[in-house]
Amino acid sequence: MPAVDVTHSRPEHGKRETLKRLLAVSRREFAAKGLAGARVDVIAQQAGVTKQLVYHYFGSKEALFANVLDESSFDVMSELLALDIDDLQPPDAILFFLDAIFTRYKTDKCLGSLAQEGIRYHENHSTPANKFIGMAPALVAKLDLVLKRGARRGDFQPGIDARLFLATAALITSGGFTNRYSVSSIVGFCTTSEEGMAAWHRHAADFIMAAIRAR
């Protein structure tokens, strides 16, 4: 067997590993301190690289943050697109989908804070098309099939707009994490405590299912 030429693959592999490590460290730093509070020199030190290398790869702290948001949304969307719901009964499929959103926010301790920062960032910055925007139509199409199948069976109301459903379901399900202060103040319990998460999970799922269920 001929020898494999790794002359060019090794530097490229090293770069990928460095970028992966930088994004992981940056994700934790931005989630803990926000865009304004995070410091590039701290991120560089924790990632084991120089601050100059961070700027070489990303150009600015804002661009680094945008990349963190892009990777986080890609991970979430990839998981949702990979859900095996096509053979489930439509109500079970939607509940499984909602559970997946909730579970991701529950287990990923950085996601809620990053989502809050991301809302502020995207409202004040003109950003190019990202992975979330590119992947959203496929997820809408996946849900549209389930909603239409449920309407034919008499489970769901006919004519539900899958785009509006996805946006609404995502906002309601994740609301206890992304807007925990306001929501917790209104409902009277911490939506990120164990009991609070369970209560919000039940309420969100029941509310969404009641909204689409056939009358």
mmCIF file with all atom_site columns, all heavy atoms in Angstrom, residues 89-111:
data_model
loop_
_atom_site.group_PDB
_atom_site.id
_atom_site.type_symbol
_atom_site.label_atom_id
_atom_site.label_alt_id
_atom_site.label_comp_id
_atom_site.label_asym_id
_atom_site.label_entity_id
_atom_site.label_seq_id
_atom_site.pdbx_PDB_ins_code
_atom_site.Cartn_x
_atom_site.Cartn_y
_atom_site.Cartn_z
_atom_site.occupancy
_atom_site.B_iso_or_equiv
_atom_site.pdbx_formal_charge
_atom_site.auth_seq_id
_atom_site.auth_comp_id
_atom_site.auth_asym_id
_atom_site.auth_atom_id
_atom_site.pdbx_PDB_model_num
ATOM 1   N N   . GLN A 1 89  ? -47.049 8.733  15.028 1.00 0.00 ? 89  GLN A N   1
ATOM 2   C CA  . GLN A 1 89  ? -48.348 9.377  14.877 1.00 0.00 ? 89  GLN A CA  1
ATOM 3   C C   . GLN A 1 89  ? -48.148 10.887 15.010 1.00 0.00 ? 89  GLN A C   1
ATOM 4   O O   . GLN A 1 89  ? -47.322 11.335 15.811 1.00 0.00 ? 89  GLN A O   1
ATOM 5   C CB  . GLN A 1 89  ? -49.321 8.889  15.950 1.00 0.00 ? 89  GLN A CB  1
ATOM 6   C CG  . GLN A 1 89  ? -49.606 7.392  15.907 1.00 0.00 ? 89  GLN A CG  1
ATOM 7   C CD  . GLN A 1 89  ? -50.297 6.979  14.622 1.00 0.00 ? 89  GLN A CD  1
ATOM 8   O OE1 . GLN A 1 89  ? -50.957 7.772  13.965 1.00 0.00 ? 89  GLN A OE1 1
ATOM 9   N NE2 . GLN A 1 89  ? -50.149 5.712  14.253 1.00 0.00 ? 89  GLN A NE2 1
ATOM 10  N N   . PRO A 1 90  ? -48.851 11.698 14.215 1.00 0.00 ? 90  PRO A N   1
ATOM 11  C CA  . PRO A 1 90  ? -48.587 13.140 14.202 1.00 0.00 ? 90  PRO A CA  1
ATOM 12  C C   . PRO A 1 90  ? -48.535 13.818 15.578 1.00 0.00 ? 90  PRO A C   1
ATOM 13  O O   . PRO A 1 90  ? -47.595 14.583 15.832 1.00 0.00 ? 90  PRO A O   1
ATOM 14  C CB  . PRO A 1 90  ? -49.731 13.681 13.335 1.00 0.00 ? 90  PRO A CB  1
ATOM 15  C CG  . PRO A 1 90  ? -50.013 12.565 12.391 1.00 0.00 ? 90  PRO A CG  1
ATOM 16  C CD  . PRO A 1 90  ? -49.849 11.302 13.199 1.00 0.00 ? 90  PRO A CD  1
ATOM 17  N N   . PRO A 1 91  ? -49.486 13.558 16.496 1.00 0.00 ? 91  PRO A N   1
ATOM 18  C CA  . PRO A 1 91  ? -49.359 14.196 17.813 1.00 0.00 ? 91  PRO A CA  1
ATOM 19  C C   . PRO A 1 91  ? -48.091 13.775 18.547 1.00 0.00 ? 91  PRO A C   1
ATOM 20  O O   . PRO A 1 91  ? -47.434 14.604 19.197 1.00 0.00 ? 91  PRO A O   1
ATOM 21  C CB  . PRO A 1 91  ? -50.615 13.728 18.563 1.00 0.00 ? 91  PRO A CB  1
ATOM 22  C CG  . PRO A 1 91  ? -51.600 13.397 17.481 1.00 0.00 ? 91  PRO A CG  1
ATOM 23  C CD  . PRO A 1 91  ? -50.777 12.820 16.384 1.00 0.00 ? 91  PRO A CD  1
ATOM 24  N N   . ASP A 1 92  ? -47.727 12.505 18.440 1.00 0.00 ? 92  ASP A N   1
ATOM 25  C CA  . ASP A 1 92  ? -46.496 12.024 19.074 1.00 0.00 ? 92  ASP A CA  1
ATOM 26  C C   . ASP A 1 92  ? -45.268 12.659 18.435 1.00 0.00 ? 92  ASP A C   1
ATOM 27  O O   . ASP A 1 92  ? -44.285 12.965 19.117 1.00 0.00 ? 92  ASP A O   1
ATOM 28  C CB  . ASP A 1 92  ? -46.401 10.505 18.975 1.00 0.00 ? 92  ASP A CB  1
ATOM 29  C CG  . ASP A 1 92  ? -47.484 9.793  19.764 1.00 0.00 ? 92  ASP A CG  1
ATOM 30  O OD1 . ASP A 1 92  ? -47.975 10.393 20.754 1.00 0.00 ? 92  ASP A OD1 1
ATOM 31  O OD2 . ASP A 1 92  ? -47.843 8.667  19.396 1.00 0.00 ? 92  ASP A OD2 1
ATOM 32  N N   . ALA A 1 93  ? -45.323 12.844 17.117 1.00 0.00 ? 93  ALA A N   1
ATOM 33  C CA  . ALA A 1 93  ? -44.196 13.446 16.408 1.00 0.00 ? 93  ALA A CA  1
ATOM 34  C C   . ALA A 1 93  ? -43.974 14.889 16.859 1.00 0.00 ? 93  ALA A C   1
ATOM 35  O O   . ALA A 1 93  ? -42.833 15.313 17.094 1.00 0.00 ? 93  ALA A O   1
ATOM 36  C CB  . ALA A 1 93  ? -44.440 13.401 14.904 1.00 0.00 ? 93  ALA A CB  1
ATOM 37  N N   . ILE A 1 94  ? -45.049 15.649 16.999 1.00 0.00 ? 94  ILE A N   1
ATOM 38  C CA  . ILE A 1 94  ? -44.915 17.040 17.429 1.00 0.00 ? 94  ILE A CA  1
ATOM 39  C C   . ILE A 1 94  ? -44.424 17.113 18.874 1.00 0.00 ? 94  ILE A C   1
ATOM 40  O O   . ILE A 1 94  ? -43.558 17.930 19.211 1.00 0.00 ? 94  ILE A O   1
ATOM 41  C CB  . ILE A 1 94  ? -46.256 17.790 17.277 1.00 0.00 ? 94  ILE A CB  1
ATOM 42  C CG1 . ILE A 1 94  ? -46.639 17.894 15.793 1.00 0.00 ? 94  ILE A CG1 1
ATOM 43  C CG2 . ILE A 1 94  ? -46.164 19.178 17.898 1.00 0.00 ? 94  ILE A CG2 1
ATOM 44  C CD1 . ILE A 1 94  ? -45.659 18.673 14.941 1.00 0.00 ? 94  ILE A CD1 1
ATOM 45  N N   . LEU A 1 95  ? -44.950 16.260 19.737 1.00 0.00 ? 95  LEU A N   1
ATOM 46  C CA  . LEU A 1 95  ? -44.488 16.245 21.129 1.00 0.00 ? 95  LEU A CA  1
ATOM 47  C C   . LEU A 1 95  ? -43.008 15.865 21.203 1.00 0.00 ? 95  LEU A C   1
ATOM 48  O O   . LEU A 1 95  ? -42.257 16.434 22.003 1.00 0.00 ? 95  LEU A O   1
ATOM 49  C CB  . LEU A 1 95  ? -45.330 15.264 21.951 1.00 0.00 ? 95  LEU A CB  1
ATOM 50  C CG  . LEU A 1 95  ? -46.728 15.731 22.337 1.00 0.00 ? 95  LEU A CG  1
ATOM 51  C CD1 . LEU A 1 95  ? -47.513 14.597 22.983 1.00 0.00 ? 95  LEU A CD1 1
ATOM 52  C CD2 . LEU A 1 95  ? -46.650 16.930 23.289 1.00 0.00 ? 95  LEU A CD2 1
ATOM 53  N N   . PHE A 1 96  ? -42.601 14.929 20.386 1.00 0.00 ? 96  PHE A N   1
ATOM 54  C CA  . PHE A 1 96  ? -41.193 14.516 20.350 1.00 0.00 ? 96  PHE A CA  1
ATOM 55  C C   . PHE A 1 96  ? -40.314 15.680 19.901 1.00 0.00 ? 96  PHE A C   1
ATOM 56  O O   . PHE A 1 96  ? -39.219 15.901 20.445 1.00 0.00 ? 96  PHE A O   1
ATOM 57  C CB  . PHE A 1 96  ? -41.043 13.331 19.400 1.00 0.00 ? 96  PHE A CB  1
ATOM 58  C CG  . PHE A 1 96  ? -39.721 12.632 19.496 1.00 0.00 ? 96  PHE A CG  1
ATOM 59  C CD1 . PHE A 1 96  ? -39.373 11.909 20.618 1.00 0.00 ? 96  PHE A CD1 1
ATOM 60  C CD2 . PHE A 1 96  ? -38.813 12.702 18.451 1.00 0.00 ? 96  PHE A CD2 1
ATOM 61  C CE1 . PHE A 1 96  ? -38.146 11.256 20.708 1.00 0.00 ? 96  PHE A CE1 1
ATOM 62  C CE2 . PHE A 1 96  ? -37.585 12.060 18.528 1.00 0.00 ? 96  PHE A CE2 1
ATOM 63  C CZ  . PHE A 1 96  ? -37.252 11.331 19.656 1.00 0.00 ? 96  PHE A CZ  1
ATOM 64  N N   . PHE A 1 97  ? -40.793 16.430 18.921 1.00 0.00 ? 97  PHE A N   1
ATOM 65  C CA  . PHE A 1 97  ? -40.072 17.604 18.435 1.00 0.00 ? 97  PHE A CA  1
ATOM 66  C C   . PHE A 1 97  ? -39.949 18.668 19.528 1.00 0.00 ? 97  PHE A C   1
ATOM 67  O O   . PHE A 1 97  ? -38.869 19.216 19.755 1.00 0.00 ? 97  PHE A O   1
ATOM 68  C CB  . PHE A 1 97  ? -40.807 18.170 17.216 1.00 0.00 ? 97  PHE A CB  1
ATOM 69  C CG  . PHE A 1 97  ? -40.330 19.525 16.783 1.00 0.00 ? 97  PHE A CG  1
ATOM 70  C CD1 . PHE A 1 97  ? -39.116 19.669 16.128 1.00 0.00 ? 97  PHE A CD1 1
ATOM 71  C CD2 . PHE A 1 97  ? -41.099 20.653 17.026 1.00 0.00 ? 97  PHE A CD2 1
ATOM 72  C CE1 . PHE A 1 97  ? -38.671 20.929 15.726 1.00 0.00 ? 97  PHE A CE1 1
ATOM 73  C CE2 . PHE A 1 97  ? -40.667 21.907 16.634 1.00 0.00 ? 97  PHE A CE2 1
ATOM 74  C CZ  . PHE A 1 97  ? -39.456 22.041 15.982 1.00 0.00 ? 97  PHE A CZ  1
ATOM 75  N N   . LEU A 1 98  ? -41.050 18.948 20.222 1.00 0.00 ? 98  LEU A N   1
ATOM 76  C CA  . LEU A 1 98  ? -41.027 19.936 21.298 1.00 0.00 ? 98  LEU A CA  1
ATOM 77  C C   . LEU A 1 98  ? -40.102 19.498 22.427 1.00 0.00 ? 98  LEU A C   1
ATOM 78  O O   . LEU A 1 98  ? -39.361 20.311 22.995 1.00 0.00 ? 98  LEU A O   1
ATOM 79  C CB  . LEU A 1 98  ? -42.445 20.165 21.834 1.00 0.00 ? 98  LEU A CB  1
ATOM 80  C CG  . LEU A 1 98  ? -43.468 20.732 20.839 1.00 0.00 ? 98  LEU A CG  1
ATOM 81  C CD1 . LEU A 1 98  ? -44.847 20.792 21.482 1.00 0.00 ? 98  LEU A CD1 1
ATOM 82  C CD2 . LEU A 1 98  ? -43.036 22.103 20.347 1.00 0.00 ? 98  LEU A CD2 1
ATOM 83  N N   . ASP A 1 99  ? -40.150 18.218 22.765 1.00 0.00 ? 99  ASP A N   1
ATOM 84  C CA  . ASP A 1 99  ? -39.264 17.689 23.808 1.00 0.00 ? 99  ASP A CA  1
ATOM 85  C C   . ASP A 1 99  ? -37.801 17.868 23.429 1.00 0.00 ? 99  ASP A C   1
ATOM 86  O O   . ASP A 1 99  ? -36.954 18.153 24.286 1.00 0.00 ? 99  ASP A O   1
ATOM 87  C CB  . ASP A 1 99  ? -39.546 16.198 24.037 1.00 0.00 ? 99  ASP A CB  1
ATOM 88  C CG  . ASP A 1 99  ? -40.856 15.956 24.764 1.00 0.00 ? 99  ASP A CG  1
ATOM 89  O OD1 . ASP A 1 99  ? -41.422 16.924 25.306 1.00 0.00 ? 99  ASP A OD1 1
ATOM 90  O OD2 . ASP A 1 99  ? -41.320 14.801 24.778 1.00 0.00 ? 99  ASP A OD2 1
ATOM 91  N N   . ALA A 1 100 ? -37.499 17.703 22.141 1.00 0.00 ? 100 ALA A N   1
ATOM 92  C CA  . ALA A 1 100 ? -36.110 17.840 21.695 1.00 0.00 ? 100 ALA A CA  1
ATOM 93  C C   . ALA A 1 100 ? -35.606 19.264 21.873 1.00 0.00 ? 100 ALA A C   1
ATOM 94  O O   . ALA A 1 100 ? -34.460 19.485 22.293 1.00 0.00 ? 100 ALA A O   1
ATOM 95  C CB  . ALA A 1 100 ? -35.995 17.420 20.229 1.00 0.00 ? 100 ALA A CB  1
ATOM 96  N N   . ILE A 1 101 ? -36.450 20.250 21.557 1.00 0.00 ? 101 ILE A N   1
ATOM 97  C CA  . ILE A 1 101 ? -36.060 21.647 21.768 1.00 0.00 ? 101 ILE A CA  1
ATOM 98  C C   . ILE A 1 101 ? -35.822 21.899 23.247 1.00 0.00 ? 101 ILE A C   1
ATOM 99  O O   . ILE A 1 101 ? -34.791 22.457 23.655 1.00 0.00 ? 101 ILE A O   1
ATOM 100 C CB  . ILE A 1 101 ? -37.139 22.618 21.241 1.00 0.00 ? 101 ILE A CB  1
ATOM 101 C CG1 . ILE A 1 101 ? -37.345 22.443 19.746 1.00 0.00 ? 101 ILE A CG1 1
ATOM 102 C CG2 . ILE A 1 101 ? -36.743 24.058 21.562 1.00 0.00 ? 101 ILE A CG2 1
ATOM 103 C CD1 . ILE A 1 101 ? -38.452 23.326 19.185 1.00 0.00 ? 101 ILE A CD1 1
ATOM 104 N N   . PHE A 1 102 ? -36.780 21.478 24.059 1.00 0.00 ? 102 PHE A N   1
ATOM 105 C CA  . PHE A 1 102 ? -36.685 21.736 25.499 1.00 0.00 ? 102 PHE A CA  1
ATOM 106 C C   . PHE A 1 102 ? -35.459 21.049 26.104 1.00 0.00 ? 102 PHE A C   1
ATOM 107 O O   . PHE A 1 102 ? -34.719 21.653 26.886 1.00 0.00 ? 102 PHE A O   1
ATOM 108 C CB  . PHE A 1 102 ? -37.954 21.248 26.196 1.00 0.00 ? 102 PHE A CB  1
ATOM 109 C CG  . PHE A 1 102 ? -38.032 21.668 27.633 1.00 0.00 ? 102 PHE A CG  1
ATOM 110 C CD1 . PHE A 1 102 ? -38.604 22.874 27.978 1.00 0.00 ? 102 PHE A CD1 1
ATOM 111 C CD2 . PHE A 1 102 ? -37.510 20.869 28.636 1.00 0.00 ? 102 PHE A CD2 1
ATOM 112 C CE1 . PHE A 1 102 ? -38.659 23.270 29.296 1.00 0.00 ? 102 PHE A CE1 1
ATOM 113 C CE2 . PHE A 1 102 ? -37.557 21.251 29.950 1.00 0.00 ? 102 PHE A CE2 1
ATOM 114 C CZ  . PHE A 1 102 ? -38.140 22.467 30.291 1.00 0.00 ? 102 PHE A CZ  1
ATOM 115 N N   . THR A 1 103 ? -35.244 19.802 25.727 1.00 0.00 ? 103 THR A N   1
ATOM 116 C CA  . THR A 1 103 ? -34.120 19.043 26.282 1.00 0.00 ? 103 THR A CA  1
ATOM 117 C C   . THR A 1 103 ? -32.791 19.687 25.924 1.00 0.00 ? 103 THR A C   1
ATOM 118 O O   . THR A 1 103 ? -31.862 19.719 26.742 1.00 0.00 ? 103 THR A O   1
ATOM 119 C CB  . THR A 1 103 ? -34.152 17.592 25.783 1.00 0.00 ? 103 THR A CB  1
ATOM 120 O OG1 . THR A 1 103 ? -35.382 16.988 26.206 1.00 0.00 ? 103 THR A OG1 1
ATOM 121 C CG2 . THR A 1 103 ? -32.991 16.794 26.340 1.00 0.00 ? 103 THR A CG2 1
ATOM 122 N N   . ARG A 1 104 ? -32.689 20.202 24.708 1.00 0.00 ? 104 ARG A N   1
ATOM 123 C CA  . ARG A 1 104 ? -31.427 20.848 24.305 1.00 0.00 ? 104 ARG A CA  1
ATOM 124 C C   . ARG A 1 104 ? -31.138 22.060 25.189 1.00 0.00 ? 104 ARG A C   1
ATOM 125 O O   . ARG A 1 104 ? -30.010 22.259 25.638 1.00 0.00 ? 104 ARG A O   1
ATOM 126 C CB  . ARG A 1 104 ? -31.501 21.259 22.837 1.00 0.00 ? 104 ARG A CB  1
ATOM 127 C CG  . ARG A 1 104 ? -30.200 21.901 22.335 1.00 0.00 ? 104 ARG A CG  1
ATOM 128 C CD  . ARG A 1 104 ? -29.034 20.949 22.481 1.00 0.00 ? 104 ARG A CD  1
ATOM 129 N NE  . ARG A 1 104 ? -27.770 21.629 22.280 1.00 0.00 ? 104 ARG A NE  1
ATOM 130 C CZ  . ARG A 1 104 ? -27.006 21.498 21.209 1.00 0.00 ? 104 ARG A CZ  1
ATOM 131 N NH1 . ARG A 1 104 ? -27.389 20.702 20.231 1.00 0.00 ? 104 ARG A NH1 1
ATOM 132 N NH2 . ARG A 1 104 ? -25.873 22.136 21.116 1.00 0.00 ? 104 ARG A NH2 1
ATOM 133 N N   . TYR A 1 105 ? -32.152 22.877 25.442 1.00 0.00 ? 105 TYR A N   1
ATOM 134 C CA  . TYR A 1 105 ? -31.951 24.044 26.301 1.00 0.00 ? 105 TYR A CA  1
ATOM 135 C C   . TYR A 1 105 ? -31.686 23.625 27.748 1.00 0.00 ? 105 TYR A C   1
ATOM 136 O O   . TYR A 1 105 ? -30.913 24.267 28.459 1.00 0.00 ? 105 TYR A O   1
ATOM 137 C CB  . TYR A 1 105 ? -33.166 24.966 26.246 1.00 0.00 ? 105 TYR A CB  1
ATOM 138 C CG  . TYR A 1 105 ? -33.119 25.944 25.096 1.00 0.00 ? 105 TYR A CG  1
ATOM 139 C CD1 . TYR A 1 105 ? -33.669 25.626 23.856 1.00 0.00 ? 105 TYR A CD1 1
ATOM 140 C CD2 . TYR A 1 105 ? -32.509 27.180 25.239 1.00 0.00 ? 105 TYR A CD2 1
ATOM 141 C CE1 . TYR A 1 105 ? -33.611 26.519 22.797 1.00 0.00 ? 105 TYR A CE1 1
ATOM 142 C CE2 . TYR A 1 105 ? -32.453 28.083 24.192 1.00 0.00 ? 105 TYR A CE2 1
ATOM 143 C CZ  . TYR A 1 105 ? -33.005 27.743 22.975 1.00 0.00 ? 105 TYR A CZ  1
ATOM 144 O OH  . TYR A 1 105 ? -32.933 28.624 21.918 1.00 0.00 ? 105 TYR A OH  1
ATOM 145 N N   . LYS A 1 106 ? -32.316 22.558 28.175 1.00 0.00 ? 106 LYS A N   1
ATOM 146 C CA  . LYS A 1 106 ? -32.135 22.096 29.552 1.00 0.00 ? 106 LYS A CA  1
ATOM 147 C C   . LYS A 1 106 ? -30.726 21.555 29.781 1.00 0.00 ? 106 LYS A C   1
ATOM 148 O O   . LYS A 1 106 ? -30.118 21.810 30.826 1.00 0.00 ? 106 LYS A O   1
ATOM 149 C CB  . LYS A 1 106 ? -33.163 21.010 29.871 1.00 0.00 ? 106 LYS A CB  1
ATOM 150 C CG  . LYS A 1 106 ? -33.065 20.461 31.291 1.00 0.00 ? 106 LYS A CG  1
ATOM 151 C CD  . LYS A 1 106 ? -34.116 19.387 31.534 1.00 0.00 ? 106 LYS A CD  1
ATOM 152 C CE  . LYS A 1 106 ? -33.998 18.814 32.944 1.00 0.00 ? 106 LYS A CE  1
ATOM 153 N NZ  . LYS A 1 106 ? -35.024 17.756 33.195 1.00 0.00 ? 106 LYS A NZ  1
ATOM 154 N N   . THR A 1 107 ? -30.201 20.820 28.835 1.00 0.00 ? 107 THR A N   1
ATOM 155 C CA  . THR A 1 107 ? -28.901 20.169 29.022 1.00 0.00 ? 107 THR A CA  1
ATOM 156 C C   . THR A 1 107 ? -27.730 21.054 28.610 1.00 0.00 ? 107 THR A C   1
ATOM 157 O O   . THR A 1 107 ? -26.623 20.875 29.104 1.00 0.00 ? 107 THR A O   1
ATOM 158 C CB  . THR A 1 107 ? -28.838 18.861 28.222 1.00 0.00 ? 107 THR A CB  1
ATOM 159 O OG1 . THR A 1 107 ? -29.112 19.126 26.838 1.00 0.00 ? 107 THR A OG1 1
ATOM 160 C CG2 . THR A 1 107 ? -29.868 17.869 28.744 1.00 0.00 ? 107 THR A CG2 1
ATOM 161 N N   . ASP A 1 108 ? -27.964 21.975 27.695 1.00 0.00 ? 108 ASP A N   1
ATOM 162 C CA  . ASP A 1 108 ? -26.900 22.883 27.250 1.00 0.00 ? 108 ASP A CA  1
ATOM 163 C C   . ASP A 1 108 ? -26.992 24.170 28.062 1.00 0.00 ? 108 ASP A C   1
ATOM 164 O O   . ASP A 1 108 ? -27.787 25.058 27.757 1.00 0.00 ? 108 ASP A O   1
ATOM 165 C CB  . ASP A 1 108 ? -27.064 23.173 25.759 1.00 0.00 ? 108 ASP A CB  1
ATOM 166 C CG  . ASP A 1 108 ? -25.916 23.994 25.189 1.00 0.00 ? 108 ASP A CG  1
ATOM 167 O OD1 . ASP A 1 108 ? -25.161 24.600 25.971 1.00 0.00 ? 108 ASP A OD1 1
ATOM 168 O OD2 . ASP A 1 108 ? -25.774 24.031 23.953 1.00 0.00 ? 108 ASP A OD2 1
ATOM 169 N N   . LYS A 1 109 ? -26.170 24.284 29.088 1.00 0.00 ? 109 LYS A N   1
ATOM 170 C CA  . LYS A 1 109 ? -26.262 25.392 30.029 1.00 0.00 ? 109 LYS A CA  1
ATOM 171 C C   . LYS A 1 109 ? -25.885 26.737 29.411 1.00 0.00 ? 109 LYS A C   1
ATOM 172 O O   . LYS A 1 109 ? -26.211 27.784 29.972 1.00 0.00 ? 109 LYS A O   1
ATOM 173 C CB  . LYS A 1 109 ? -25.368 25.123 31.247 1.00 0.00 ? 109 LYS A CB  1
ATOM 174 C CG  . LYS A 1 109 ? -25.695 23.819 31.974 1.00 0.00 ? 109 LYS A CG  1
ATOM 175 C CD  . LYS A 1 109 ? -27.136 23.751 32.415 1.00 0.00 ? 109 LYS A CD  1
ATOM 176 C CE  . LYS A 1 109 ? -27.438 22.448 33.161 1.00 0.00 ? 109 LYS A CE  1
ATOM 177 N NZ  . LYS A 1 109 ? -28.867 22.336 33.517 1.00 0.00 ? 109 LYS A NZ  1
ATOM 178 N N   . CYS A 1 110 ? -25.212 26.720 28.274 1.00 0.00 ? 110 CYS A N   1
ATOM 179 C CA  . CYS A 1 110 ? -24.810 27.967 27.626 1.00 0.00 ? 110 CYS A CA  1
ATOM 180 C C   . CYS A 1 110 ? -25.873 28.502 26.670 1.00 0.00 ? 110 CYS A C   1
ATOM 181 O O   . CYS A 1 110 ? -25.884 29.696 26.355 1.00 0.00 ? 110 CYS A O   1
ATOM 182 C CB  . CYS A 1 110 ? -23.506 27.768 26.846 1.00 0.00 ? 110 CYS A CB  1
ATOM 183 S SG  . CYS A 1 110 ? -22.048 27.428 27.837 1.00 0.00 ? 110 CYS A SG  1
ATOM 184 N N   . LEU A 1 111 ? -26.756 27.641 26.188 1.00 0.00 ? 111 LEU A N   1
ATOM 185 C CA  . LEU A 1 111 ? -27.611 27.986 25.066 1.00 0.00 ? 111 LEU A CA  1
ATOM 186 C C   . LEU A 1 111 ? -28.572 29.134 25.363 1.00 0.00 ? 111 LEU A C   1
ATOM 187 O O   . LEU A 1 111 ? -28.750 30.034 24.534 1.00 0.00 ? 111 LEU A O   1
ATOM 188 C CB  . LEU A 1 111 ? -28.386 26.754 24.612 1.00 0.00 ? 111 LEU A CB  1
ATOM 189 C CG  . LEU A 1 111 ? -29.103 26.868 23.264 1.00 0.00 ? 111 LEU A CG  1
ATOM 190 C CD1 . LEU A 1 111 ? -28.141 27.254 22.158 1.00 0.00 ? 111 LEU A CD1 1
ATOM 191 C CD2 . LEU A 1 111 ? -29.793 25.553 22.931 1.00 0.00 ? 111 LEU A CD2 1
#
